[in-house]
Amino acid sequence: MFKKAIEAKSHQRLSGADRKKLKRTIRDRFHRASDADIDALLPPKAEITVSKFVNRVHLYGVEGSFPMFFDVDGRGSEIFPTVFALWKVPEMLPSFILKGGEVSRFVIGGADLMFPGISIPAEGLPSFLEGEPWAVKVPGNPAPIAVGSTTMSTAEALKAGLRGKALRITHYYRDLLWESVEGHYVPNAGFLEDVVFEDPVFLSSAQVPDSCEGSGDSSNHENDGVDSKEVGESADVKDPISDSHPTSKTQLDSDTDIVEQVTKAIGGFKVTDNIAADESTTVVEEQHTLSAEDLDAYLDKCLLQALHTTVNDKDLPMPGSTLWSNHVLPCRPSGITLDIKKSSHKKLSKWLQAKSSSGLISVKEDKYKKETVLFSVNRSHPDYLSFKPERRQEQKVDQGGDQAVKETRSPKLLEVSEIYKPSVHVNPIFAFVGADTGKLYSASEASDVVFKYIEKGHLVKPMNKSIVVLDPTLCDALFKGAIKKGSAYPTEIHKKDLGSTFVSRMQAHYIVTRGSESVVRKGSVRTIQILTERRQGNKKVTKLSGMETFLMDADALASELQKKFACSTSVSELPGKKGHEVLIQGGVIDDLARHLVEQYGVPKRYIEVLDKTKK
């Protein structure tokens, strides 16, 4: 999974509630780990960060240190500990012991683990189910070198004659997981690498409690006489833990000083002659010294940079969380962590409200989603006009980089914008200000029309500038036909409610643009439906419909999915409806949704997923 370099699209600290939820998920999934083990990996008083990648992987770890857990799909159902976490708590997962060094070379090269490469203990193959998380160890070393999930159960493995794939490796030592997130790179990985793979005794003695030192005995008895030169082709250590080899014991005793050095290196992760380590430590220290005033200044600067460069009026209204994660955070300077909780505002909603009070932006609280929404930007505000945005060069993609990243930047990019057309209710308002009633408007442009009407009619309440007095024309535009008979019409409305109420009285349209092709359709955006169900013979099929909304050809998509998932596909017309349905053999519901997002740019909110095969 981490064979190629991937970029994190966001990096932030977890809130208290999210920390508790993460620990509950880990506790439920890994029953072998005690509360003390989990606290050792995720200390209660340390800052826990999450890095979210474009391939939906979530990476959790202690800020300024190593990642401890990663979530394959970002939903908590496939969470795994990293190899470094298993160095601290080796018995957190059950483990397969390899037969010899040649097998370990393939595993740390990214290959999946096959049954012939596993050392079967005398009592027989351990019990496991399909999809369980297991670790991989080399003989004589309790410190795992890889982690993955089983591909079949014990009964299925015995039935297959212990042949085939045993473990699908998701993460292994020396892959690119630690280099994917700023602050998580292992500065002394080369040093640790020599220790781990040249002599596994050192790491196991330094990292694991005494109770774990004998965990490899059962496998060692089966491998007597086998050359135990593991991945690093180190010195001959046939059985470093067995009492029958006094030479090995003497060698272990003579290397006590080296063990202490390794313990210190693993605990602090600092190498005196490593400049990168010193620089990263300096950056972390500088982040902690930022005052609330400095953070406020960075927040304002990043907001203005985002408003100038990435926030377009056609994208409004925009949820505050989207503004923060997709626009504000990417504008922060290198090495700076923006933590809204450590600013003077404490909360994102309060910060946005403060910017709204200054007149820079206009926001409103969504009562249903309980979230602050950005409605408009005042581009004539003095702060906006006086700010000079920085020009940032786009990073060039290496020719040897991930092909998936290149494909996501292909001409298949999609733009979906919600627009509105004046209706009979609001036509008098548009006519009064001289606006074209046959034109399509964005939400912010429509709001500007009604506020221009208020300005011309002098309808703002003199004693309270945030209240608008409704004249008959404006009252009919907002409420005619929407008020129950016998109920009194309102005479006033708050400015923050005016724009959304006015837009809701217009006819909803949306425009879809893909490359040079653009289509305008009436109504709300229709979603893509993905459905998985069972057919005769307990086989799974996946149905896809609604792709025409986003300018995707059903036949071309079916041909592409046939090659991608190596399965048969078919296209049929939807009965009684316009459009087609693509039928895919197999349960590929998650992979299909991910493919539509990454390759065709379909926003997640426009994809509906229903898995009828789950009970």
Side-chain angles (χ1 to χ4, degrees), residues 371-384:
E371 184 177 12
T372 303
V373 179
L374 173 64
F375 265 84
S376 63
V377 179
N378 182 7
R379 303 193 184 275
S380 60
H381 193 274
D383 292 346
Y384 183 89

Side-chain angles (χ1 to χ4, degrees), residues 437-467:
T437 56
K439 181 183 173 183
L440 294 171
Y441 297 84
S442 66
S444 60
E445 291 172 342
S447 298
D448 291 340
V449 170
V450 69
F451 278 103
K452 188 179 294 184
Y453 176 85
I454 293 170
E455 184 179 352
K456 287 188 175 182
H458 305 287
L459 300 180
V460 177
K461 198 171 184 178
M463 303 301 295
N464 189 348
K465 299 295 184 180
S466 62
I467 300 297

